[in-house]
PDB file of all heavy atoms in Angstrom:
ATOM      1  N   GLN I  37      12.491 -68.327 -26.425  1.00  0.00           N
ATOM      2  CA  GLN I  37      11.325 -67.358 -26.013  1.00  0.00           C
ATOM      3  C   GLN I  37      11.942 -66.087 -25.307  1.00  0.00           C
ATOM      4  O   GLN I  37      11.401 -64.932 -25.592  1.00  0.00           O
ATOM      5  CB  GLN I  37      10.417 -68.041 -25.194  1.00  0.00           C
ATOM      6  CG  GLN I  37       9.526 -69.076 -25.847  1.00  0.00           C
ATOM      7  CD  GLN I  37       8.643 -69.947 -24.782  1.00  0.00           C
ATOM      8  OE1 GLN I  37       9.104 -70.153 -23.661  1.00  0.00           O
ATOM      9  NE2 GLN I  37       7.578 -70.385 -25.286  1.00  0.00           N
ATOM     10  N   GLY I  38      12.883 -66.307 -24.555  1.00  0.00           N
ATOM     11  CA  GLY I  38      13.578 -65.127 -23.993  1.00  0.00           C
ATOM     12  C   GLY I  38      14.188 -64.173 -25.017  1.00  0.00           C
ATOM     13  O   GLY I  38      14.131 -62.988 -24.905  1.00  0.00           O
ATOM     14  N   GLU I  39      14.770 -64.806 -26.036  1.00  0.00           N
ATOM     15  CA  GLU I  39      15.448 -63.969 -27.084  1.00  0.00           C
ATOM     16  C   GLU I  39      14.321 -63.177 -27.769  1.00  0.00           C
ATOM     17  O   GLU I  39      14.379 -62.030 -28.327  1.00  0.00           O
ATOM     18  CB  GLU I  39      16.163 -64.839 -27.999  1.00  0.00           C
ATOM     19  CG  GLU I  39      17.010 -64.070 -29.010  1.00  0.00           C
ATOM     20  CD  GLU I  39      18.067 -63.197 -28.618  1.00  0.00           C
ATOM     21  OE1 GLU I  39      18.339 -63.195 -27.328  1.00  0.00           O
ATOM     22  OE2 GLU I  39      18.603 -62.480 -29.412  1.00  0.00           O
ATOM     23  N   ILE I  40      13.127 -63.889 -28.110  1.00  0.00           N
ATOM     24  CA  ILE I  40      12.146 -63.210 -28.760  1.00  0.00           C
ATOM     25  C   ILE I  40      11.573 -62.062 -27.990  1.00  0.00           C
ATOM     26  O   ILE I  40      11.357 -60.968 -28.438  1.00  0.00           O
ATOM     27  CB  ILE I  40      10.866 -64.278 -28.947  1.00  0.00           C
ATOM     28  CG1 ILE I  40      11.324 -65.134 -30.053  1.00  0.00           C
ATOM     29  CG2 ILE I  40       9.597 -63.467 -29.420  1.00  0.00           C
ATOM     30  CD1 ILE I  40      10.358 -66.384 -30.243  1.00  0.00           C
ATOM     31  N   GLN I  41      11.448 -62.268 -26.624  1.00  0.00           N
ATOM     32  CA  GLN I  41      10.937 -61.105 -25.722  1.00  0.00           C
ATOM     33  C   GLN I  41      12.065 -60.040 -25.759  1.00  0.00           C
ATOM     34  O   GLN I  41      11.710 -58.720 -25.838  1.00  0.00           O
ATOM     35  CB  GLN I  41      10.884 -61.513 -24.328  1.00  0.00           C
ATOM     36  CG  GLN I  41       9.717 -62.369 -24.135  1.00  0.00           C
ATOM     37  CD  GLN I  41       9.669 -62.997 -22.727  1.00  0.00           C
ATOM     38  OE1 GLN I  41      10.509 -62.867 -21.951  1.00  0.00           O
ATOM     39  NE2 GLN I  41       8.481 -63.652 -22.467  1.00  0.00           N
ATOM     40  N   ARG I  42      13.378 -60.299 -25.922  1.00  0.00           N
ATOM     41  CA  ARG I  42      14.435 -59.284 -25.968  1.00  0.00           C
ATOM     42  C   ARG I  42      14.357 -58.595 -27.235  1.00  0.00           C
ATOM     43  O   ARG I  42      14.372 -57.246 -27.419  1.00  0.00           O
ATOM     44  CB  ARG I  42      15.794 -59.889 -25.803  1.00  0.00           C
ATOM     45  CG  ARG I  42      16.912 -59.036 -25.588  1.00  0.00           C
ATOM     46  CD  ARG I  42      18.272 -59.727 -25.320  1.00  0.00           C
ATOM     47  NE  ARG I  42      18.735 -60.374 -26.595  1.00  0.00           N
ATOM     48  CZ  ARG I  42      19.628 -59.720 -27.471  1.00  0.00           C
ATOM     49  NH1 ARG I  42      19.996 -58.467 -27.194  1.00  0.00           N
ATOM     50  NH2 ARG I  42      20.037 -60.309 -28.403  1.00  0.00           N
ATOM     51  N   LEU I  43      14.054 -59.235 -28.428  1.00  0.00           N
ATOM     52  CA  LEU I  43      13.952 -58.579 -29.616  1.00  0.00           C
ATOM     53  C   LEU I  43      12.833 -57.720 -29.743  1.00  0.00           C
ATOM     54  O   LEU I  43      12.810 -56.655 -30.287  1.00  0.00           O
ATOM     55  CB  LEU I  43      13.978 -59.694 -30.759  1.00  0.00           C
ATOM     56  CG  LEU I  43      15.229 -60.545 -30.888  1.00  0.00           C
ATOM     57  CD1 LEU I  43      14.918 -61.741 -31.865  1.00  0.00           C
ATOM     58  CD2 LEU I  43      16.352 -59.675 -31.600  1.00  0.00           C
ATOM     59  N   GLN I  44      11.722 -58.278 -29.177  1.00  0.00           N
ATOM     60  CA  GLN I  44      10.432 -57.423 -29.298  1.00  0.00           C
ATOM     61  C   GLN I  44      10.686 -56.082 -28.475  1.00  0.00           C
ATOM     62  O   GLN I  44      10.137 -55.121 -28.858  1.00  0.00           O
ATOM     63  CB  GLN I  44       9.227 -58.180 -28.782  1.00  0.00           C
ATOM     64  CG  GLN I  44       7.951 -57.559 -29.002  1.00  0.00           C
ATOM     65  CD  GLN I  44       7.652 -57.344 -30.466  1.00  0.00           C
ATOM     66  OE1 GLN I  44       7.718 -58.192 -31.279  1.00  0.00           O
ATOM     67  NE2 GLN I  44       7.284 -56.070 -30.820  1.00  0.00           N
ATOM     68  N   ALA I  45      11.197 -56.195 -27.302  1.00  0.00           N
ATOM     69  CA  ALA I  45      11.487 -54.983 -26.515  1.00  0.00           C
ATOM     70  C   ALA I  45      12.441 -53.893 -27.237  1.00  0.00           C
ATOM     71  O   ALA I  45      12.075 -52.791 -27.166  1.00  0.00           O
ATOM     72  CB  ALA I  45      12.199 -55.435 -25.254  1.00  0.00           C
ATOM     73  N   GLU I  46      13.320 -54.435 -28.034  1.00  0.00           N
ATOM     74  CA  GLU I  46      14.225 -53.572 -28.783  1.00  0.00           C
ATOM     75  C   GLU I  46      13.374 -52.992 -29.970  1.00  0.00           C
ATOM     76  O   GLU I  46      13.591 -51.705 -30.150  1.00  0.00           O
ATOM     77  CB  GLU I  46      15.384 -54.391 -29.329  1.00  0.00           C
ATOM     78  CG  GLU I  46      16.417 -53.470 -30.023  1.00  0.00           C
ATOM     79  CD  GLU I  46      17.053 -52.373 -29.270  1.00  0.00           C
ATOM     80  OE1 GLU I  46      16.907 -52.413 -27.997  1.00  0.00           O
ATOM     81  OE2 GLU I  46      17.688 -51.418 -29.809  1.00  0.00           O
ATOM     82  N   ILE I  47      12.457 -53.730 -30.568  1.00  0.00           N
ATOM     83  CA  ILE I  47      11.657 -53.130 -31.581  1.00  0.00           C
ATOM     84  C   ILE I  47      10.813 -52.112 -31.052  1.00  0.00           C
ATOM     85  O   ILE I  47      10.570 -51.034 -31.618  1.00  0.00           O
ATOM     86  CB  ILE I  47      10.723 -54.318 -32.239  1.00  0.00           C
ATOM     87  CG1 ILE I  47      11.669 -55.245 -33.190  1.00  0.00           C
ATOM     88  CG2 ILE I  47       9.640 -53.766 -33.092  1.00  0.00           C
ATOM     89  CD1 ILE I  47      10.953 -56.476 -33.616  1.00  0.00           C
ATOM     90  N   ASP I  48      10.063 -52.444 -29.824  1.00  0.00           N
ATOM     91  CA  ASP I  48       9.236 -51.445 -29.228  1.00  0.00           C
ATOM     92  C   ASP I  48      10.059 -50.194 -28.893  1.00  0.00           C
ATOM     93  O   ASP I  48       9.477 -49.103 -29.062  1.00  0.00           O
ATOM     94  CB  ASP I  48       8.665 -52.051 -27.914  1.00  0.00           C
ATOM     95  CG  ASP I  48       7.610 -53.147 -28.253  1.00  0.00           C
ATOM     96  OD1 ASP I  48       7.246 -53.307 -29.496  1.00  0.00           O
ATOM     97  OD2 ASP I  48       7.412 -53.960 -27.210  1.00  0.00           O
ATOM     98  N   ARG I  49      11.204 -50.300 -28.285  1.00  0.00           N
ATOM     99  CA  ARG I  49      12.070 -49.128 -27.975  1.00  0.00           C
ATOM    100  C   ARG I  49      12.351 -48.314 -29.275  1.00  0.00           C
ATOM    101  O   ARG I  49      12.321 -47.088 -29.142  1.00  0.00           O
ATOM    102  CB  ARG I  49      13.323 -49.545 -27.391  1.00  0.00           C
ATOM    103  CG  ARG I  49      14.281 -48.525 -26.714  1.00  0.00           C
ATOM    104  CD  ARG I  49      15.593 -48.888 -26.246  1.00  0.00           C
ATOM    105  NE  ARG I  49      16.407 -49.357 -27.409  1.00  0.00           N
ATOM    106  CZ  ARG I  49      17.090 -48.547 -28.201  1.00  0.00           C
ATOM    107  NH1 ARG I  49      16.917 -47.136 -27.983  1.00  0.00           N
ATOM    108  NH2 ARG I  49      17.843 -49.092 -29.110  1.00  0.00           N
ATOM    109  N   LYS I  50      12.713 -48.924 -30.215  1.00  0.00           N
ATOM    110  CA  LYS I  50      13.042 -48.128 -31.551  1.00  0.00           C
ATOM    111  C   LYS I  50      11.872 -47.585 -32.101  1.00  0.00           C
ATOM    112  O   LYS I  50      11.883 -46.430 -32.614  1.00  0.00           O
ATOM    113  CB  LYS I  50      13.680 -49.112 -32.529  1.00  0.00           C
ATOM    114  CG  LYS I  50      15.107 -49.401 -32.118  1.00  0.00           C
ATOM    115  CD  LYS I  50      15.807 -50.295 -33.173  1.00  0.00           C
ATOM    116  CE  LYS I  50      17.325 -50.569 -32.705  1.00  0.00           C
ATOM    117  NZ  LYS I  50      18.156 -50.819 -33.760  1.00  0.00           N
ATOM    118  N   ASN I  51      10.635 -48.303 -32.143  1.00  0.00           N
ATOM    119  CA  ASN I  51       9.415 -47.617 -32.605  1.00  0.00           C
ATOM    120  C   ASN I  51       8.987 -46.440 -31.726  1.00  0.00           C
ATOM    121  O   ASN I  51       8.518 -45.455 -32.214  1.00  0.00           O
ATOM    122  CB  ASN I  51       8.324 -48.591 -32.569  1.00  0.00           C
ATOM    123  CG  ASN I  51       8.330 -49.567 -33.809  1.00  0.00           C
ATOM    124  OD1 ASN I  51       9.004 -49.267 -34.663  1.00  0.00           O
ATOM    125  ND2 ASN I  51       7.698 -50.749 -33.588  1.00  0.00           N
TER     126      ASN I  51
END
Side-chain angles (χ1 to χ4, degrees):
Q37 286 173 335
E39 185 65 4
I40 290 168
Q41 290 174 349
R42 190 176 76 90
L43 291 166
Q44 191 60 55
E46 185 64 15
I47 289 169
D48 295 345
R49 187 187 70 76
K50 289 184 177 199
N51 283 338

